Amino acid sequence: MEAPTEFPSVTFSDLATSSSAAPAAAVFSVDSSGKPRLRFVQTGSAAPLAELDLETTQVFRVGPVDLLCVSEEESGGNATDEKLCSKAFKVGFKTKDESKGFATAFEEWKNGRSSKDGASLENGLIVPSKSKFDSKIEATSAKMYFHYYGQLLHQQNMLQDFVRTGTYYAAVLENRSDFEGRVVVDVGAGSGILSLFAAQAGAKHVYAVEASEMAEYAQKLISGNPSLGQRITVIKGKVEEVELPEKADILISEPMGTLLVNERMLESYIIARDRFLTPSGKMFPTLGRIHMAPFSDEYLYVEVANKALFWQQQNFFGVDLTPLHGSAFQGYFSQPVVDAFDPRLLVSPPTFHTLDFTSMKEEDLYELDIPLNFTATVGTRVHGLACWFDVLFNGSTVQRWLTTAPGSPTTHWYQLRCVLQQPLYVMAGQQITGRLHLVAHSAQSYTIYLTLSTKMWGVGAEQGGVLQTSTGKLELKEPYYRLSQPQSYGASDQQQQTVQTQSMPPQDISQLQDEIDPSLSLEQL
């Protein structure tokens, strides 16, 4: 049976009464007999406002963002005296796209999209059921994604990332007041470790939602810790599709990928917020920041460029490979480099772009357009843009930052660098501008479009314009995992004094280690 389709932010008015419009959620679903229904539920209280039979309901447009739902229902009485009466409800939306999406969903559900799997429609065709996740993500990508996270060895890799796991543990246990007696939803629960942390902090009940086969392992782990597990329910399914018996006071999740947004799980985190979180609820993590700075690394540039030398062979078993050298050269530079690097490679202080998970829309993650503006602190060649991220757990008692910054203890995310085919030459004090443009695609990742330019500098610079521009197109899903530890690097005194690696320092990791129970082993985590 198809999962419900929900429009969480509408306004609802019963034209038969004089009451004002109320904030509500509109939910398309099927009843026990398989009939399509439309329910309007008041926001914040889950109180039903109306439930309509789609077979006897029509929708009319009465404005750019307003629709009118007219439903015919039996007025009651005995079997020989039943009459039909009409009820009308005005439904308002924030945008034309939402209004159009509702009208489209109405027609699809009314015309058979909600029928049981395998049931034939009137035209003899079978329309597959699709959730919001399925409609935007390729089936092959989703299958590989859930297969990957369904394996214990990959969960172990994440659990053994002490910075990651330790920071989550500290963020939860130091903010017991946010969890005690509260309902928690763990979005993408994986092994269930965060659900167990929430239970340790006194959560009333935790719903651990996990779509991969890891849900079975999570159930086994939770059952093996009965003092905590009795307050945890594992639900196998996507957050876009599952139904929960109650609203959550707090969401907890680890939705971060490379460059924060890779794998597109942040969108599921936002959808879970809209579907399950109470208006006053908290989110752990609360916000994320993507940090960026130009870098200079001659060794890395030569390493990437030299990969294409293979294709310069003119006699490879009698074959001239040079016609493919240009394509191979471009291909290697289309791979973002994932590794840990020395922060002294940065050419200027970083800037950052903030994603507020509590207020942003899911659609905001479909495309990120970030302007760049730096001032070089040293004269050198700029080889590209370095990126990392951090997230904030904004607890009522303690605020915790989890950072992946260069110079900080290395995490399994490492850092990411976009290497340009054409380096730029800069002098100290010269302005570097550009744009980082991320466009989401159906393979659960992003295409990166990077532009960096240098401006005129020195006397008369205000009359000058752009001196050099370099652009690159990279595929975030296909990185070059270099994964080396930072190499010793002899930076100039000027560069060491002027380059700062973090716009806002996160917590001292040594302090974090001191505050975590030393008796807690990685095996227990």
Side-chain angles (χ1 to χ4, degrees):
M1 184 179 294
E2 186 174 3
T5 299
E6 182 175 353
F7 292 81
S9 302
V10 306
T11 57
F12 176 87
S13 304
D14 187 347
L15 299 187
T17 68
S18 57
S19 58
S20 58
V27 182
F28 293 94
S29 61
V30 295
D31 60 19
S32 57
S33 63
K35 289 187 176 182
R37 310 284 292 184
L38 172 58
R39 292 183 296 114
F40 292 95
V41 181
Q42 187 168 355
T43 301
S45 67
L49 297 172
E51 183 167 348
L52 310 179
D53 182 351
L54 292 190
E55 294 179 355
T56 60
T57 302
Q58 293 179 289
V59 168
F60 304 90
R61 184 168 298 281
V62 294
V65 295
D66 295 323
L67 299 175
L68 188 68
C69 294
V70 179
S71 178
E72 292 184 346
E73 298 183 1
E74 293 178 351
S75 61
N78 56 47
T80 60
D81 193 39
E82 288 183 345
K83 295 182 180 179
L84 294 178
C85 65
S86 295
K87 292 185 176 181
F89 307 98
K90 185 179 179 181
V91 185
F93 300 84
K94 294 180 180 179
T95 66
K96 292 181 180 179
D97 288 342
E98 290 180 2
S99 176
K100 184 178 179 180
F102 179 92
T104 301
F106 178 90
E107 292 300 323
E108 290 179 345
W109 279 83
K110 183 173 183 177
N111 294 329
R113 282 293 297 274
S114 58
S115 59
K116 293 183 179 179
D117 293 339
S120 296
L121 305 181
E122 291 181 357
N123 60 3
L125 298 176
I126 297 177
V127 180
S129 300
K130 281 196 174 184
S131 69
K132 191 165 189 179
F133 178 92
D134 295 331
S135 65
K136 66 184 181 183
I137 300 300
E138 292 176 1
T140 52
S141 176
K143 182 177 180 180
M144 293 177 62
Y145 174 77
F146 290 124
H147 173 73
Y148 179 91
Y149 285 107
Q151 301 180 65
L152 280 174
L153 70 157
H154 298 306
Q155 295 292 328
Q156 180 179 337
N157 178 51
M158 293 184 288
L159 292 174
Q160 289 180 325
D161 180 342
F162 177 78
V163 177
R164 167 197 179 270
T165 306
T167 303
Y168 268 91
Y169 181 79
V172 173
L173 272 295
E174 290 175 346
N175 290 287
R176 288 179 178 271
S177 61
D178 291 325
F179 288 86
E180 286 180 339
R182 307 294 171 83
V183 176
V184 180
V185 172
D186 184 357
V187 181
S191 65
I193 190 68
L194 300 185
S195 296
L196 290 163
F197 288 173
Q200 287 183 51
K204 174 185 174 183
H205 201 86
V206 184
Y207 295 97
V209 182
E210 172 58 40
S212 77
E213 296 303 316
M214 186 53 56
E216 298 176 10
Y217 291 109
Q219 183 62 68
K220 186 179 294 187
L221 181 63
I222 289 166
S223 299
N225 292 268
S227 62
L228 302 173
Q230 61 185 354
R231 288 179 282 124
I232 302 174
T233 300
V234 177
I235 299 176
K236 185 178 181 182
K238 304 183 184 77
V239 294
E240 294 85 353
E241 301 172 6
V242 302
E243 293 294 327
L244 301 181
E246 56 186 327
K247 291 287 187 179
D249 301 302
I250 188 165
L251 293 186
I252 190 168
S253 182
E254 197 270 75
M256 300 89 74
T258 306
L259 194 59
L260 183 61
V261 295
N262 190 40
E263 297 178 342
R264 298 185 65 179
M265 190 183 165
L266 280 174
E267 294 166 38
S268 297
Y269 189 40
I270 301 303
I271 290 172
R273 177 202 70 192
D274 293 340
R275 296 194 66 205
F276 304 133
L277 191 63
T278 61
S280 60
K282 282 186 169 289
M283 299 178 73
F284 274 47
T286 313
L287 61 81
R289 302 185 303 183
I290 300 174
H291 297 256
M292 300 145 288
F295 73 92
S296 178
D297 191 340
E298 201 72 42
Y299 297 106
L300 175 62
Y301 179 81
V302 171
E303 178 184 335
V304 174
N306 282 352
K307 287 184 176 184
L309 289 178
F310 171 84
W311 298 96
Q312 287 190 330
Q313 298 181 77
Q314 296 179 333
N315 187 9
F316 182 76
F317 294 94
V319 177
D320 183 2
L321 300 182
T322 58
L324 296 181
H325 175 262
S327 298
F329 189 80
Q330 292 180 2
Y332 285 121
F333 279 95
S334 72
Q335 291 184 284
V337 177
V338 175
D339 70 347
F341 65 86
D342 192 314
R344 289 173 294 179
L345 295 173
L346 300 179
V347 174
S348 81
T351 186
F352 63 85
H353 178 77
T354 301
L355 300 177
D356 187 343
F357 306 141
T358 66
S359 60
M360 68 184 304
K361 298 178 181 178
E362 176 216 353
E363 292 79 8
D364 294 339
L365 289 163
Y366 292 176
E367 188 172 351
L368 300 174
D369 198 5
I370 306 171
L372 306 173
N373 197 328
F374 308 99
T375 300
T377 56
V378 64
T380 187
R381 287 216 307 175
V382 173
H383 294 104
L385 188 72
C387 305
W388 61 95
F389 70 86
D390 54 24
V391 294
L392 170 67
F393 301 90
N394 191 19
S396 299
T397 305
V398 177
Q399 291 186 338
R400 278 286 179 191
W401 286 94
L402 169 57
T403 182
T404 64
S408 297
T410 304
T411 71
H412 77 284
W413 288 286
Y414 294 88
Q415 293 99 40
L416 179 138
R417 287 186 283 177
C418 299
V419 186
L420 294 169
Q421 294 183 44
Q422 181 60 54
L424 301 174
Y425 293 86
V426 297
M427 298 297 290
Q430 193 168 3
Q431 187 179 11
I432 305 170
T433 61
R435 189 165 298 275
L436 181 66
H437 189 197
L438 306 176
V439 180
H441 56 66
S442 59
Q444 290 176 274
S445 193
Y446 287 77
T447 301
I448 302 172
Y449 299 92
L450 172 63
T451 301
L452 288 180
S453 301
T454 57
K455 293 288 191 74
M456 290 281 288
W457 68 284
V459 179
E462 62 276 2
Q463 268 87 56
V466 173
L467 282 178
Q468 307 170 76
T469 294
S470 186
T471 62
K473 178 182 178 182
L474 304 95
E475 181 49 62
L476 184 56
K477 192 177 178 70
E478 302 292 341
Y480 164 34
Y481 287 106
R482 198 165 177 239
L483 303 185
S484 62
Q485 291 298 317
Q487 302 298 312
S488 59
Y489 172 75
S492 66
D493 292 339
Q494 179 187 15
Q495 193 171 358
Q496 292 185 46
Q497 292 170 3
T498 54
V499 176
Q500 302 296 321
T501 62
Q502 298 177 55
S503 304
M504 182 187 296
Q507 76 275 9
D508 184 352
I509 297 299
S510 62
Q511 177 186 356
L512 168 62
Q513 294 173 346
D514 292 338
E515 292 173 349
I516 293 178
D517 183 359
S519 66
L520 192 66
S521 66
L522 282 177
E523 287 74 20
Q524 289 174 290
L525 290 175

